[in-house]
Amino acid sequence: MKHLLMLAIVLASLSAYAQNTYAGKIVDANNQPLTGATIQSKTNTNLAVISDGNGDFTINLNNDPAVIVKFMGFLTVTKTLSEAKNIITLTENDELLDEVVISASREKQQRKEVPASISVISSQDIAESKAFGIDQLVNDVPGVNMSTSRMSGNEQHLMSVRSPISTRSLFLYVEDGLPIRPTAVFNHNALLEMNDVAFDRIEVLKGPASSIYGSEAIGGSFNFLTKNPTQDFTGDVGFQINDMGLTRYNLELAKYANDDVGFYLGTQYIQRKDGPIQHSDYEKFALTFKNVNHLSDNLNWTNVFDVVDYRSDMSGSLSESDYSGGNYESDQNFTERVVFAFRFRSTLDKQWNAKNKTAVNFIFRKNETSQNPSYRITQFRESGQLTGLGVGEVNSNYFNSYVGLLQHKMDFNFANSSLIFGASADFSPQHYQAETIAVRVDVNTGQNIDFTLNSGDYILNYDADILNYAGYFQYEINPLEKLKLTAALRYDGFNYSYNNLVDTIAGPQDSKNNYSNVSPKIGANYNLSRNLGLYANYSNGFTPPQTSSLYRNSLVGVGGVVFDLKPSAYNNYEIGTYFSIANQLKVDMALYLLDGRNTLVTNTTDTGEFFNANAGKTSSYGLEYGLNYTPINSLTFSFNGSFAKHKYVRFYDRSGNSIIDYSGTDRQSAPSFIGTNKIIYKPHFIKGLTLTATQELVSKYNTSYENQIDNGDGTFSTVTYGGHDIIDVLIAYRYKNFEIWGHVLNVFDDLYATYASYNRYANQNNYTIGNPRAFHLGVNYNF
């Protein structure tokens, strides 16, 4: 009996300390798995596991099977696990401060942890907008103005974020957190190298982001996050057409082949023929293929392939008389741009434990751009009359890139702090070649009708190897529950090696140019409640000279020494707030000051040659606001805009034969206000119907330097563009798996320009014309 009693006591003791194994799966409201959710014991908070790539988890618990389940961007829940497999569904948290963003650190963070102005265009926003251009998406972000002419419809564009509308290398375009182009080979039209069918989400981080991303992230960085495979088979096929000559076809497919391997494919083909402007045809094929592999519970391997094949006429801008008179006959019969872009990214994500993770990235880029640009053609005149001859050029730019990036994140128990550190290297050999062409001009119409290549008559022919290497860190800490501090620092080094392939014929002598920069950032978030937060930051940004600025557009003669342009540097000071009221009103505001040193500007000589120069000092300051108001479930008002001032603090124009001081004057192409207002109505009595009205506002701006125009009577004046106010309307209807929609663009058929600039030789503005009233129809079938 004594032995039996002792055995019972031992068994009871073992039972008390026995562990049970529980299994489950974490999914969202659409039954899609959530990778990286934390499942934590309620009684022993040191015991936690993370869901794998399929959302699955196993956890060993003692007597209490209660767990706390957390996933960023979703409401935290407490569940009691059962012996059967547990399916735990999490609900998205729609509080503004809890919104998840990635772009500020390449890691998931809540909005309330980011001391910067950041805007998110969600997958739902993208789906509901029915946008047929990236501009229709990003222009909803406060302070962003992507200028593109849908009348020429070829996706070439200019950009403005905390800066004048320009082609400057002040913006960084990244896909899944990685730049789509190398440093020093910026292309302001780079977004035509993107596939917007594959966008799942867009994040726009305004102000310098150089502490994480490096150069060119000055006015803002645009992070286009691609779609992922889905657990169930999904996809769609669609067609769009408008009365400006454009047709578009798109196809998407997504599926996990098994628990560990998934695929996504998104592709489109666009063609434009016989648009309102002569010689504005274009076509584009784009394809994105994504493969996700869950190699183990804590190791994921992702591969993304992008291919873009693009060709477009370059119809050029319109003169003052053609713009106002409705004459859309292009002066260009043969100008074009041809682009082929290929990108491959391979990423390994390793979750070592609940507090450590590493990402290793390799990128290969291949880009070929060839063009016969309209803006490089000069027509010859004698006594003011056309001679029938002119000169232009064909040029080509090819580069390959080999990029490695390593980033590690560590979370600490101390004050909810974390450290992100990383290093990168980007080696991009580039080849550039430009040869002259002899242009034949119709003296009656002024059109450039034909050309002959002057083979071997080089303007430039060179190779340039570009090496960018960098190291960075970012540390975050919560010294108080409501206060989060962020500090970051990055070092960048740049080596350019220029080899002139036509010595003594064209171009400057061989050159090596080296630059370096240290970019600090410090910021703070103070979150007074779940619905109200404040932030402040100082950040530094920079951009080194582009290779084209150094080796072509710096007026260096044959065999001359490369004029060593200085990198442009910017200091950004910013305060902002974000708050929401009862899920009806959401507000995001930012007040900023962006001071620039050695800002690059483009001038022209008396013979019409472009050249770049450092502008001394510039200053931009303004207020950005975003407001969303939903008084009832079926009705939403959104108001997004920016009031800004852009000035030359110190700048001397060296165009022509004299030097003119424009210090203290307003900069060109710098509207004081840009904004987008929108009303979205989803009547509850017609399920699936969406009605949207959008107002696009751009205020008056200078196209010439301030007081550049000599009126001949002792007075001086400034040429301007009067701004515009355009209304677009969208009607969309979804029934089961079918969607159909129609856009009415420019409802009141207003004459406006997406961009206007002053031509000092013609003494008038040139205009990139906006679309007249137009109708766009789309249909989509969702699998």
Side-chain angles (χ1 to χ4, degrees), residues 57-133:
F57 72 90
T58 58
I59 186 169
N60 295 318
L61 299 172
N62 294 327
N63 287 336
D64 189 353
V67 293
I68 301 169
V69 183
K70 303 176 183 178
F71 190 68
M72 191 175 294
F74 290 75
L75 296 173
T76 298
V77 299
T78 300
K79 294 287 185 181
T80 300
L81 301 181
S82 64
E83 293 182 0
K85 185 168 184 178
N86 300 268
I87 306 298
I88 301 175
T89 303
L90 299 186
T91 303
E92 286 194 69
N93 192 338
D94 57 3
E95 293 289 343
L96 177 65
L97 272 65
D98 292 323
E99 185 174 39
V100 175
V101 294
I102 299 172
S103 299
S105 62
R106 291 196 178 99
E107 295 287 346
K108 286 184 178 180
Q109 295 176 280
Q110 291 177 306
R111 174 66 185 87
K112 63 186 177 184
E113 299 175 333
V114 179
S117 178
I118 188 166
S119 297
V120 175
I121 304 168
S122 68
S123 56
Q124 181 178 342
D125 296 331
I126 294 172
E128 291 184 351
S129 71
K130 305 303 179 192
F132 57 92

Side-chain angles (χ1 to χ4, degrees), residues 177-365:
L178 300 168
I180 68 168
R181 276 180 157 254
T183 295
V185 196
F186 176 81
N187 181 356
H188 69 92
N189 291 308
L191 289 182
L192 65 80
E193 299 169 13
M194 302 292 286
N195 178 16
D196 56 342
V197 166
F199 296 167
D200 181 59
R201 174 185 175 92
I202 303 171
E203 296 181 0
V204 182
L205 178 63
K206 286 166 286 182
S210 292
S211 60
I212 290 291
Y213 292 106
S215 67
E216 296 168 355
I218 307 300
S221 56
F222 295 76
N223 192 3
F224 300 91
L225 302 168
T226 55
K227 294 177 180 176
N228 286 307
T230 53
Q231 202 72 20
D232 303 318
F233 176 69
T234 60
D236 62 80
V237 59
F239 171 74
Q240 298 179 51
I241 189 170
N242 66 28
D243 60 353
M244 293 188 292
L246 182 141
T247 55
R248 168 172 162 162
Y249 307 84
N250 61 270
L251 171 69
E252 291 185 278
L253 303 170
K255 181 71 172 72
Y256 268 90
N258 53 43
D259 287 344
D260 298 320
V261 181
F263 302 94
Y264 166 81
L265 173 71
T267 185
Q268 63 172 304
Y269 174 72
I270 305 174
Q271 186 177 47
R272 162 68 176 266
K273 279 191 172 182
D274 301 324
I277 297 181
Q278 277 188 329
H279 302 290
S280 61
D281 293 357
Y282 94 108
E283 57 184 332
K284 172 180 174 179
F285 170 78
L287 181 145
T288 298
F289 178 76
K290 189 172 190 177
N291 162 235
V292 176
N293 306 276
H294 305 301
L295 302 181
S296 70
D297 289 350
N298 51 26
L299 180 62
N300 297 314
W301 181 29
T302 302
N303 300 288
V304 181
F305 298 83
D306 290 294
V307 177
V308 173
D309 193 3
Y310 171 95
R311 195 215 71 86
S312 173
D313 294 342
M314 297 179 67
S315 54
S317 55
L318 299 179
S319 66
E320 185 92 45
S321 58
D322 287 346
Y323 170 74
S324 58
N327 177 15
Y328 304 146
E329 294 182 1
S330 174
D331 290 339
Q332 318 299 334
N333 286 6
F334 52 79
T335 53
E336 69 171 359
R337 174 173 286 148
V338 180
V339 177
F340 176 80
F342 171 78
R343 296 187 299 275
F344 167 66
R345 172 176 64 87
S346 187
T347 301
L348 279 171
D349 287 299
K350 172 67 173 178
Q351 187 82 45
W352 301 97
N353 50 49
K355 296 185 180 298
N356 286 272
K357 65 174 296 188
T358 302
V360 181
N361 298 274
F362 170 75
I363 309 168
F364 173 73
R365 314 183 190 102

Side-chain angles (χ1 to χ4, degrees), residues 647 662 664-668 702 704-709 717-718:
K647 300 184 73 70
Y662 286 115
T665 64
D666 290 341
R667 298 178 67 182
Q668 316 96 293
N702 295 346
S704 70
Y705 291 118
E706 194 172 312
N707 292 322
Q708 181 182 9
I709 312 306
S717 58
T718 306

